[in-house]
């Protein structure tokens, strides 16, 4: 050790840290499956942050451990250490480097944010689809039963109202030539279920079905308390708020079934408020659409959510806790068994 | 070596004997500073209410909604009373600095009276508005903010009455010993400033 | 280069006022409305530690529930009540009162050469607001317990367990008032009661930290109070500030809440940063590296910390410009924090490091906080936060900074100042056992949570997907281990307090003023106020003043 000059050691350490950080940044394997275009963007950012963090972590922890060993007090040594109490260039250096790093990260975040469509959450303009509203039962707000003693409901959906324009969330990527979404789904969160309504076809379900590689716009609203719509595989999350319109835009990139998680504490069974998104191939999606459209026309009112206020805890838990996500058949099973409540879906 | 110059006895003596250190059992009397710091904090509490009010207002279609309009004449008179009371109380402060306890008592008495009139006016206003706290979100804000402010006026009034009560004893206050008087005055000014903002927000702004 | 000593000069000749000696406090004085800052400090520390145990037991219950995916150990509503009160107690009745109330009160007057705080009675009132707050929280369990998280977002908080929720609000208003009164006391004390010979740049860094903390508390707490008053009115008096169907708005609460609660996280870490700046130089026998940089970075964190609150609301009703503005401001906080971290690491360089228990916890903090801070920076970037918000990644982040940061710092401070407070040394061997167990336990419990969150496990759930079982069980095991680590500590404290080896006035050979008085300090702190002749961290040869020979172990 004695012969190797310090600069060489530093250089080796620097190279080592760089190599390890690059490797960790690419191979941490922490993220779940990527199933949307947005996921790739987020993961790119995360990998870079992971790389920077690994480098900083190694340097700082390395220095701590090295100093602890090197400058430990030896037995019998009762003297003080070296009386150094500052070094301006060094301090300027370690103020400047993090500043540059965070500014870089900030700019990169803005870039990703823009590509995800964060700048214009209300960019989707929908073609009129008022013909469908007939399918969705219209219920005056006051009739809906509620958990708890307060009834903070949305005004009854009004077919004449202009299309739902989310004020918050993610919209179209500005580089996207047509800001139009291919599929629009109105999503209502309620204790403890998600209701999906397809305004263009009048379908109302307890699961989200979307075609792969198409722009999907979900418009979110909450009926009682705040919920949060999260698809980990899409890396997207947006709160559904009572009284305010939010939304998400995404393009699913991989056929499959992914969980929809409620991420905002919304009551005792918040953990059971699960659903799933099923990403179909275009053909499958068409089939699903037609099948369900037919089914819905026959029983326009049956497509509803059960209000948990009408259930006991055990009844409520049966489908949620035991199976841990709302299976479609579990939902329909509930529908036939319990009091119905017309879905309150803003159109 | 850092700080060694301060070893010189002159400086130390000077500092040890500063007037603030002698009073109050060698614990300096810093109550005025404490009050000022506290008022910074208090104003942020009102700031929180004001911010909430403005945000709610920003989202409302009509402000105030029909049926919950505010009265203007009485509150304006009330405002004039409260604002002028700030000048009156200052005269009291000037008087005590001239060691004029009777003068101070006079001005503080008048201030207390004006404060009481303000409070009574507010009660009268509440009783004649025709709507209550829970009528709508404007009424919520109106009663909560003016009520909260009214509570502060009431506390200020108590402080002033406390000063008056203590000043009965001759020699309790003098030109160089009147922290209590000063604190009551500062508090009263604070209550006054908050009212001006509140008046602008709740009354004036609703005109537009 | 011998060890630095405290060169103290007796100045009795020039001090006119000699206070009549006061008999030392008896044990029962600690249970009364006592106005001595040292008594109040200890009252804070002991009470908050009791609440730490209570909050910790709730955590253990929660972790037991989470050992399996199904909600089978406790009822989900009780789980929510536990998690709400765990968070609330840990923050408002453990870290804040221990770090600010406890060490702040005990040390600030001693460090600046004052006989007490500026407003001793107010100080006692501030303390005595805490026990009723705790009683309200615990009592709320008779009414089901508040269940809407420590954030208590409406509308949920307005429709669940109304009585318990109202009690929760009152409890927070109590501790909030306590914190405002404490803050104004600290500000006035530090600004106006320093012993005249103490210059600004000789003030220990802990004082700077408490000054910054107090400014933050003073400015942000009242805003929370405003938000909670509105919530209380909504629940109990029929108003509708946060009821969307009646013209209210749920987002306003979130702004008012986080305007306080983000600064609150700095309330919990800044005093601990101050503690770090005291402990590291003493046990590394080195001057602190970059005194001015550390002092200014406290103020910078305080200032920037007031403008980052929306990073908790990135997925809420937050317009794009806010999301980006607060991304940038959040990332900027990393810079002053980094300055501190680097300065401490540099303080280790060239030292003669003694691995006392206090020092072990301090370097433990240093290494753990870096990880928690770095995960915080990733959260600051809005595109990534959108993915992990309200997931276990957040739980991991804040336990790293809160447990690995604040709690480690409080432990370090207890080991460091225990001799001063009680006049007895703590047992070092048990201290080391405590450290090793805590260090392992913390990482075992909270490191795996990062993965859980990224993979898709939301927080605040009593039931989860079976795919997460294995990692959750690891966390649960870690939590049990962590709970066990508290036991050697408690035994150590209780045993040392009564039977520990007697401590000298300055067992660590430290240079700040609190070590110039007796252990434990007399009532009124010094018979004769000390005169400051050197900086607080003047360790090392060059700094030993020529007057070393007049050094007298001046006792109070
Ligand atoms: C002691 C408490 C504490 C501290 C100190 C911090 C510190 C930080 N926190 Fe944390 N935070 C919490 C407690 C704390 N936090 C809590 C309790 C929550 C959850 C609340 C709830 O929802 O219940 C939370 C949540 C939280 C969120 C919201 C997440 C969400 O809900 O979606 C965010 C987002 O930005 C965040 C960011 C940060 C940042 C950037 C810091 C920074 O201050 C960290 C700075 C430190 C470093 C960066 C490390 C050292 C620096 C260097 C080595 C220099 C070089 C570094 C770089 C160049 C990057 N925190
Ligand atoms: C400083 C703050 C602090 C501290 C120290 C801790 C400590 C711990 N926390 Fe806490 N935690 C929070 C602050 C803190 N937490 C906050 C703010 C939240 C968010 C709440 C919310 O979402 O609203 C949270 C949430 C939270 C969750 C998430 C719950 C959820 O989202 O569903 C979990 C889950 O594992 C957890 C676990 C733990 C554990 C295992 C410890 C351990 O460190 C505890 C160790 C155990 C002990 C210290 C007890 C020891 C006692 C004994 C052994 C018994 C002896 C007793 C007697 C003799 C009487 N915490
Ligand atoms: Cu809905 Cu949680
Ligand atoms: Cu924050």
């Amino acid at each position: 050790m004695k012969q190797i000059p310090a600069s060489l050691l530093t250089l080796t350490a620097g190279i080592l840290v760089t190599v390890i950080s690059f490797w960790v940044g690419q191979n941490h394997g922490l993220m779940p499956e990527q199933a949307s275009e947005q996921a790739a963007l987020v993961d790119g950012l995360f990998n870079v942050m992971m790389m920077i963090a690994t480098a900083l972590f190694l340097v700082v922890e390395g220095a701590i451990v090295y100093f602890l060993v090197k400058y430990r007090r030896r037995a019998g040594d009762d003297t003080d250490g070296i009386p150094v109490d500052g070094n301006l260039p060094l301090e300027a250096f370690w103020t400047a480097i993090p500043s540059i790093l965070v500014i870089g990260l900030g700019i990169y975040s803005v870039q990703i944010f823009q590509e995800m469509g964060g700048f214009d959450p209300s960019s989707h303009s929908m073609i009129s689809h008022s013909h469908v509203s007939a399918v969705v039962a219209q219920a005056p707000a006051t009739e809906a039963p509620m958990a708890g003693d307060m009834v903070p409901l949305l005004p009854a959906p009004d077919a004449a109202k202009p299309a739902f324009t989310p004020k918050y969330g993610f919209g179209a990527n500005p580089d996207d030539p047509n800001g139009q979404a291919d599929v629009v789904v109105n999503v209502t969160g309620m204790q403890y279920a998600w209701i999906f309504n397809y305004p263009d076809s009048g379908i109302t379900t307890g699961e989200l079905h979307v075609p792969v590689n198409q722009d999907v716009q979900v418009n979110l609203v909450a009926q009682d308390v705040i919920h949060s719509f999260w698809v980990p595989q899409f890396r997207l999350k947006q709160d559904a708020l009572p009284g305010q319109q939010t939304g998400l835009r995404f393009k699913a990139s991989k056929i499959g079934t992914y969980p929809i998680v409620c991420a905002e504490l919304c009551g005792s069974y918040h953990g059971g408020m699960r659903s799933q998104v099923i990403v179909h191939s275009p053909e499958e999606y068409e089939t699903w659409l037609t099948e369900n459209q037919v089914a819905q026309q026959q029983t326009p009112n049956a497509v509803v959510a059960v209000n948990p206020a009408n259930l006991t805890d055990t009844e409520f838990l049966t489908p949620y806790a035991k199976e841990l996500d709302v299976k479609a058949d579990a939902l329909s099973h509930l529908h036939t068994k319990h009091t119905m409540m017309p879905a309150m879906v803003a159109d | 070596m850092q700080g060694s110059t301060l070893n010189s006895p002159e400086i130390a003596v000077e500092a040890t004997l500063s007037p603030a250190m002698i009073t109050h059992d060698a614990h300096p009397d810093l109550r005025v500073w404490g009050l000022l710091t506290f008022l910074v904090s208090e104003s942020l509490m009102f700031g929180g209410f004001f911010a909430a009010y403005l945000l709610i207002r920003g989202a409302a279609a009509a402000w105030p909604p029909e049926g919950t309009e505010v009265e203007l004449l009485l509150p304006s008179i009330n405002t004039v009373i409260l604002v002028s009371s700030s000048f009156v109380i200052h005269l009291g402060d000037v008087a005590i600095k001239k060691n004029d306890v009777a003068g101070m008592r006079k001005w503080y008495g008048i201030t207390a009276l004006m404060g009481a009139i303000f409070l009574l006016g507010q009660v009268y206003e509440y009783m004649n508005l025709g709507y209550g706290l829970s009528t709508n979100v404007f009424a919520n804000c109106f009663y909560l903010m003016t009520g909260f402010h009214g509570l502060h006026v009431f506390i200020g009034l108590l402080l002033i009455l406390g000063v008056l009560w203590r000043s009965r004893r001759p020699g309790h206050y003098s030109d160089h010993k009147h922290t209590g008087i000063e604190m009551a005055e500062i508090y009263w000014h604070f209550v006054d400033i908050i009212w001006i903002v509140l008046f602008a927000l709740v009354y004036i702004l609703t005109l537009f | 280069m011998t060890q630095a000593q405290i060169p103290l000069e007796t100045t009795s000749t020039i001090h006119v006022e000699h206070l009549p000696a006061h008999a030392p406090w008896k044990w029962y004085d600690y249970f009364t409305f006592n106005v001595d800052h040292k008594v109040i400090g200890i009252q804070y520390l002991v009470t908050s530690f009791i609440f730490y145990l209570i909050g910790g037991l709730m955590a253990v219950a929660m972790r037991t529930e989470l050992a399996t995916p199904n909600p089978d150990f406790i009822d989900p509503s009780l789980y929510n009540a536990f998690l709400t009160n765990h968070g609330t107690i840990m923050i408002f009745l453990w870290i804040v009162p221990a770090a600010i109330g406890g060490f702040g009160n005990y040390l600030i007057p001693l460090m600046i050469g004052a006989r007490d705080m500026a407003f001793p009675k107010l100080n006692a009132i501030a303390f005595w607001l805490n026990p009723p707050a705790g009683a309200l929280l615990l009592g709320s369990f008779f009414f089901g317990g508040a269940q809407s998280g420590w954030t208590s977002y409406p509308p949920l908080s307005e429709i669940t367990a109304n009585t318990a929720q109202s009690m929760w609000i009152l409890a927070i208003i109590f501790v909030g008032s306590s914190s405002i009164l404490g803050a104004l006391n600290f500000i006035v004390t530090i600004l106006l009661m320093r012993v005249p010979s103490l210059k600004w740049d000789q003030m220990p860094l802990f004082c700077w930290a408490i000054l910054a903390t107090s400014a933050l508390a003073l400015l942000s707490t009242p805003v929370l109070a405003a938000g909670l008053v509105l919530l209380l009115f909504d629940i109990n008096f029929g108003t509708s500030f946060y009821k969307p169907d009646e013209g209210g708005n749920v987002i306003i609460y979130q702004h008012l809440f986080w305007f306080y609660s983000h600064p609150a996280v700095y309330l919990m870490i800044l005093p601990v940063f101050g503690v770090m700046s005291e402990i590291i130089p003493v046990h590394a026998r080195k001057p602190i590296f970059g005194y001015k940089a550390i002092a200014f970075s406290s103020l910078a964190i305080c200032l920037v910390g007031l403008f980052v609150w929306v990073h908790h609301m990135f997925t809420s009703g937050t317009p794009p410009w806010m999301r980006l503005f607060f991304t940038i401001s959040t990332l900027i906080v990393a810079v002053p924090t980094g300055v501190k971290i680097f300065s401490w690491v540099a303080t280790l360089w060239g030292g003669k490091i003694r691995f006392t228990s206090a020092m072990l916890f301090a370097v433990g903090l240093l290494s753990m906080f870096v990880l928690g801070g770095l995960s915080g920076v990733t959260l600051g970037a809005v595109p990534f936060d959108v993915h992990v918000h309200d997931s276990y990644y957040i739980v991991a982040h804040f336990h790293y900074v809160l447990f690995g940061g604040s709690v480690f710092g409080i432990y370090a401070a207890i080991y460091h100042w225990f001799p001063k407070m009680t006049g007895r040394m703590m047992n070092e061997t048990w201290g080391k056992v405590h450290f090793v167990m805590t260090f392992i336990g913390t990482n075992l419990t909270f490191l795996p949570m990062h993965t859980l969150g990224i993979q898709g496990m939301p927080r605040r759930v009593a039931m989860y997907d079976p795919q997460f079982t294995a990692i959750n069980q690891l966390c649960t095991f870690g939590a049990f281990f962590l709970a066990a680590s508290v036991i050697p500590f408690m035994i150590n404290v209780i045993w040392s307090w009564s039977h520990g080896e007697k401590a000298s006035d300055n067992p660590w050979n430290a240079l700040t003023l609190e070590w110039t008085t007796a252990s434990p300090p007399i009532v009124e702190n010094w018979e004769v106020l000390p005169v400051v002749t050197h900086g607080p961290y003047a360790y090392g040869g060059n700094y030993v003043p020529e007057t070393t020979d007049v050094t007298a172990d001046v006792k109070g």
Side-chain angles (χ1 to χ4, degrees):
Chain A
M1 283 283 275
K2 283 263 155 31
Q3 294 86 341
I4 310 170
S7 53
L8 202 65
L9 279 178
T10 323
L11 190 69
T12 326
I15 293 172
L16 216 61
V17 166
T18 318
V19 170
I20 296 177
S21 309
F22 266 100
W23 189 85
V24 171
Q26 297 307 317
N27 299 288
H28 52 77
L30 284 171
M31 282 286 189
E33 202 177 343
Q34 265 182 19
S36 77
E37 272 192 354
Q38 284 70 15
L41 296 171
V42 174
D43 289 7
L45 173 67
F46 181 65
N47 289 351
V48 169
M49 293 198 295
M50 199 60 192
M51 189 180 80
I52 297 177
T54 309
L56 287 168
F57 184 79
L58 288 177
V59 169
V60 177
E61 304 288 347
I64 296 173
V65 172
Y66 178 66
F67 291 168
L68 286 184
V69 174
K70 174 130 192 248
Y71 299 108
R72 67 186 188 278
R73 185 185 85 116
R74 316 295 152 115
D77 181 358
D78 275 336
T79 59
D80 281 354
I82 307 160
V84 171
D85 64 359
N87 181 330
L88 205 56
L90 189 59
E91 288 171 55
F93 173 75
W94 70 42
T95 313
I97 295 289
S99 307
I100 293 167
L101 283 175
V102 297
I103 290 169
L105 261 185
I107 294 172
Y108 189 25
S109 302
V110 173
Q111 168 76 28
I112 298 286
F113 186 71
Q114 187 201 21
E115 284 175 35
M116 290 172 75
F119 275 114
D120 198 2
S122 50
S123 56
H124 100 102
S125 52
M126 251 172 24
I127 323 136
S128 159
H129 48 262
S130 47
H131 61 281
V132 264
S133 21
V135 184
V136 183
Q138 309 270 313
T142 41
E143 271 176 28
M146 262 289 306
D149 45 16
M150 202 183 82
V151 190
L153 284 176
L154 295 171
D158 182 353
K161 265 195 182 165
F164 189 118
T165 42
K167 269 167 66 193
Y168 309 113
F170 286 97
N173 181 338
D175 298 336
D176 194 342
N178 74 344
Q180 302 268 322
D182 302 315
V183 180
V184 176
V185 189
N186 292 331
V187 182
T188 308
M190 60 174 73
Q191 284 175 323
Y192 303 94
W194 294 107
I195 307 299
F196 303 92
N197 170 251
Y198 292 69
D200 289 328
S201 56
I203 298 174
T204 302
T205 70
E207 289 175 339
L208 179 59
H209 292 258
V210 298
V212 72
N213 286 331
Q214 290 196 29
D215 253 317
V216 180
Q217 169 78 33
V218 291
N219 297 322
L220 296 160
V221 80
Q223 200 184 50
D224 34 38
V225 302
I226 305 174
H227 304 273
S228 193
F229 179 94
W230 182 24
V231 181
Q233 283 72 9
F234 291 177
R235 315 282 190 272
L236 284 176
K237 181 183 292 118
Q238 174 60 50
D239 288 6
L241 304 163
Q244 286 180 60
Q245 305 181 337
T246 59
L248 277 180
R249 169 86 70 113
F250 59 83
K251 202 184 248 182
S253 59
K254 204 165 177 184
I255 294 171
T257 303
Y258 311 102
I260 295 174
V261 181
C262 174
E264 180 67 50
L265 178 61
C266 54
S268 305
Y269 296 106
H270 155 62
M273 181 165 166
R274 305 290 294 262
S275 180
Q276 46 197 6
V277 48
I278 296 138
V279 181
H280 293 287
S281 67
E283 306 79 50
E284 254 178 31
Y285 180 69
E286 282 308 318
T287 327
W288 177 82
L289 266 186
T290 35
E291 273 175 12
N292 279 271
Q293 233 160 340
V294 173
Q296 300 249 315
Q297 244 110 44
Q298 285 157 354
T299 50
N301 252 352
V303 204
V304 288
V306 164
N307 191 299
N310 304 330
L311 303 179
T312 66
D313 283 357
T314 1
E315 272 177 320
F316 180 77
L317 266 182
T318 323
Y320 295 102
K322 292 256 168 67
E323 301 178 25
L324 283 157
D325 44 17
V326 194
K327 299 271 155 52
D329 48 72
L331 198 75
S332 54
H333 163 75
L334 281 169
H335 293 162
T336 50
K337 219 174 107 197
H338 298 286
T339 348
M340 314 269 164
M341 189 194 78
M344 306 289 308
V345 182
D347 176 15
Chain B
M1 193 182 59
Q2 283 181 313
S4 51
T5 47
L6 277 192
N7 270 336
S8 61
E10 304 83 19
I11 298 175
V13 169
E14 210 176 76
T16 328
L17 295 182
S18 75
M21 301 284 275
I22 304 173
T23 53
H24 211 274
D25 279 351
H27 286 296
D29 185 355
L30 300 167
R31 283 178 295 161
V32 172
W33 291 107
L35 179 69
L36 287 174
T37 322
F38 181 71
L39 292 182
V40 170
S41 200
E42 275 260 86
S43 46
L44 269 128
M45 172 123 145
F46 280 103
F49 287 138
F50 296 161
Y53 171 81
L54 287 174
L55 285 171
I56 292 174
R57 176 182 188 268
W63 198 257
E66 242 186 271
T68 48
E69 285 81 11
V70 285
E71 156 84 60
L72 261 181
L73 181 63
L74 180 67
S76 304
I77 299 173
N78 244 348
T79 307
V80 173
I81 295 177
L82 197 65
V83 172
S84 18
S85 75
S86 246
F87 294 95
V88 176
I89 200 169
H90 186 66
L91 292 177
D93 186 59
V94 172
I96 195 66
K97 284 190 177 132
K98 293 185 193 137
N99 219 355
D100 172 10
V101 177
M104 185 279 291
R105 284 176 63 93
K106 179 179 78 190
W107 295 121
Y108 269 55
I110 296 175
T111 312
L113 198 67
M114 292 168 94
I117 293 173
F118 175 88
L119 282 179
L120 287 176
Q122 205 164 34
V123 171
Y124 180 83
E125 186 194 355
Y126 281 3
M127 297 199 330
N128 290 286
L129 273 177
Y131 54 88
L133 170 70
S134 56
T135 304
N136 62 26
V137 76
F138 172 78
N140 299 164
C141 294
F142 173 81
Y143 279 103
L144 188 106
M145 297 197 313
T146 54
F148 208 70
H149 175 264
L151 190 71
H152 280 72
V153 178
F154 185 68
I155 294 170
L157 198 60
L158 291 183
L159 289 180
I160 295 175
L161 292 177
V163 166
L164 288 175
W165 177 254
R166 289 186 170 188
S167 62
R168 286 168 313 136
R169 280 217 331 267
H172 189 89
Y173 293 117
S174 66
D175 51 355
H176 60 266
K177 184 165 157 284
H178 52 261
T179 315
I181 294 177
E182 223 176 307
M183 287 173 68
E185 188 199 353
I186 293 172
Y187 191 81
W188 197 254
H189 289 321
F190 169 77
V191 167
D192 209 10
I193 293 168
I194 295 290
W195 176 256
I196 293 170
V197 180
L198 195 56
F199 186 74
L201 285 179
V202 177
Y203 295 94
I204 313 268
L205 217 61
T206 49
L207 294 178
F208 304 106
Chain C
M1 278 202 295
T2 51
Q3 267 195 39
Q5 301 276 316
I6 295 183
L8 252 190
E9 281 149 51
T10 26
T11 46
S12 42
T13 43
I14 51 170
H15 273 261
V16 262
E17 23 93 30
H18 246 272
L19 296 147
H22 191 297
W25 302 115
K26 295 278 186 331
W27 64 268
Y28 48 75
D29 289 315
Y30 287 84
F31 294 85
T32 59
F33 188 85
N34 194 307
V35 297
D36 183 343
H37 72 99
K38 298 182 291 299
V39 176
I40 294 174
I42 291 187
Q43 286 175 326
Y44 265 117
L45 282 174
V46 173
T47 331
S48 59
F49 191 79
I50 293 170
F51 280 113
Y52 171 50
L53 293 181
I54 298 173
L57 281 178
M58 290 178 183
V60 170
M62 275 151 51
R63 281 312 327 169
T64 312
E65 165 65 72
L66 293 173
T68 58
N70 294 338
D72 39 18
F73 175 63
I74 44 177
D75 185 74
S77 353
L78 184 61
Y79 179 90
N80 284 356
F82 275 164
L83 96 89
T84 303
N85 287 283
H86 163 73
T88 310
I89 287 178
M90 287 299 195
I91 288 175
F92 292 106
L93 289 165
W94 159 232
I95 304 291
V96 170
I100 310 177
F103 289 107
N105 270 307
Y106 199 96
L107 295 173
I108 289 294
L110 285 170
M111 282 183 168
I112 62 170
R115 298 203 180 277
D116 206 322
M117 298 283 287
F119 310 108
K121 274 205 203 83
L122 205 63
N123 206 9
I125 294 173
F127 166 73
W128 283 103
L129 283 168
N130 282 272
L136 275 170
L137 285 184
L138 297 179
S140 79
F141 276 90
F142 291 110
F143 304 92
Q147 293 168 24
S148 30
W150 83 282
T151 49
S152 288
Y153 281 4
L156 183 64
S157 53
E158 299 188 347
I159 61 169
T160 33
N162 284 343
T163 314
Q165 192 69 46
S166 305
M167 291 168 84
W168 180 91
I169 294 173
L170 287 178
I172 303 302
I173 290 181
F174 275 40
V175 287
S177 315
S178 163
S179 158
I180 293 176
L181 297 182
L184 81 88
N185 217 337
F186 283 126
I187 291 182
V188 175
T189 308
I190 295 175
L191 292 184
L192 297 167
M193 299 213 3
R194 280 163 300 125
V195 68
S197 54
L198 184 72
K199 291 199 291 187
W200 280 114
D201 61 358
Q202 294 174 323
M203 201 162 74
L205 286 164
F206 182 74
C207 304
W208 283 107
I210 290 286
L211 190 63
T213 309
S214 302
L216 215 46
L218 197 74
L219 297 178
S220 58
T221 321
V223 178
L224 174 73
L228 291 182
V229 166
L230 300 187
L231 190 62
L232 193 68
F233 270 69
D234 263 13
I235 296 177
N236 296 298
F237 306 112
T239 57
S240 39
F241 297 105
Y242 305 134
K243 293 176 189 160
D245 51 328
E246 289 163 49
N249 182 327
V250 294
I251 303 300
I252 293 175
Y253 174 85
Q254 300 183 8
H255 281 291
L256 295 177
F257 180 85
W258 288 115
F259 185 82
Y260 165 77
S261 290
H262 177 80
V265 312
Y266 295 118
L267 294 189
M268 291 185 277
I269 205 68
L270 281 176
V272 165
F273 283 172
V275 163
M276 291 285 283
S277 305
E278 298 306 317
I279 292 179
I280 291 185
V282 174
H283 297 269
R285 308 307 308 165
K286 275 238 5 232
I288 190 94
F289 194 96
Y291 175 93
K292 288 217 171 88
I294 295 182
F296 280 122
S297 65
S298 284
L299 302 179
I301 291 175
C302 157
L303 194 72
V304 183
L306 280 172
F307 300 98
V308 304
W309 78 91
V310 176
H311 68 211
H312 296 273
M313 301 168 54
F314 278 154
T315 69
S316 183
T318 308
W321 70 267
M322 264 197 201
R323 289 167 129 191
L324 291 178
F325 175 86
F326 286 93
T327 290
I328 307 288
S329 63
T330 301
L331 294 177
I332 288 175
V333 180
V335 177
T337 318
V339 167
K340 281 176 189 271
I341 300 274
F342 295 136
S343 300
W344 293 324
V345 175
T347 306
L348 295 177
W349 177 86
K352 297 276 165 71
I353 300 167
R354 284 132 212 265
F355 291 99
T356 53
S357 306
M359 187 62 168
L360 284 175
F361 273 103
V363 291
L365 188 161
L366 199 53
S367 58
M368 309 254 288
F369 184 83
V370 170
L371 208 153
L374 290 173
S375 69
V377 169
T378 62
L379 292 174
V382 60
F384 177 66
D385 183 71
V386 163
H387 174 47
V388 289
H389 169 72
D390 265 340
S391 77
Y392 260 81
Y393 189 87
I394 310 296
V395 179
H397 158 66
F398 68 69
H399 282 95
Y400 260 88
V401 281
L402 278 172
F403 199 100
S406 309
V407 177
F408 268 56
I410 291 172
Y411 279 145
I414 292 175
Y415 283 104
H416 186 71
W417 281 291
F418 190 87
K420 181 51 59 185
M421 292 176 167
T422 63
R424 290 175 189 273
M425 305 299 289
M426 280 183 82
N427 180 302
E428 280 295 322
T429 316
W430 282 110
K432 276 166 196 149
V433 171
H434 175 215
F435 170 73
V436 171
M437 288 180 73
T438 313
F439 191 81
I440 296 174
T442 312
N443 285 300
L444 213 53
T445 314
F446 301 118
L447 191 64
M449 288 184 185
H450 291 100
T451 323
L452 283 179
I454 295 190
Q455 289 283 325
M457 178 164 162
R459 63 191 275 209
R460 296 171 165 173
V461 296
M463 49 199 118
Y464 54 87
D465 280 5
Q467 69 178 103
F468 299 126
T469 315
I471 303 185
N472 267 299
Q473 279 169 350
L474 187 62
C475 298
T476 302
F477 175 74
F480 290 158
F481 194 74
L482 199 51
S485 76
V486 181
I487 294 168
F489 174 72
M490 283 194 298
I491 296 175
N492 196 348
V493 167
I494 294 170
W495 189 86
S496 304
W497 207 329
S498 48
H499 294 87
E501 181 198 330
K502 284 255 191 294
S504 72
D505 290 355
N506 190 0
W508 313 121
N509 270 313
L511 293 180
T512 38
L513 287 182
E514 76 270 26
W515 303 103
T516 63
T517 179
S519 299
I522 55 167
V523 177
E524 298 277 341
N525 299 347
W526 292 271
E527 230 155 62
V528 173
L529 288 180
V531 172
V532 182
T533 55
H534 53 75
Y537 310 109
Y539 301 99
N542 298 354
Y543 286 81
V544 175
E546 308 96 67
T547 47
T548 324
D549 42 337
V550 281
T551 300
D553 235 15
V554 177
K555 304 212 168 132

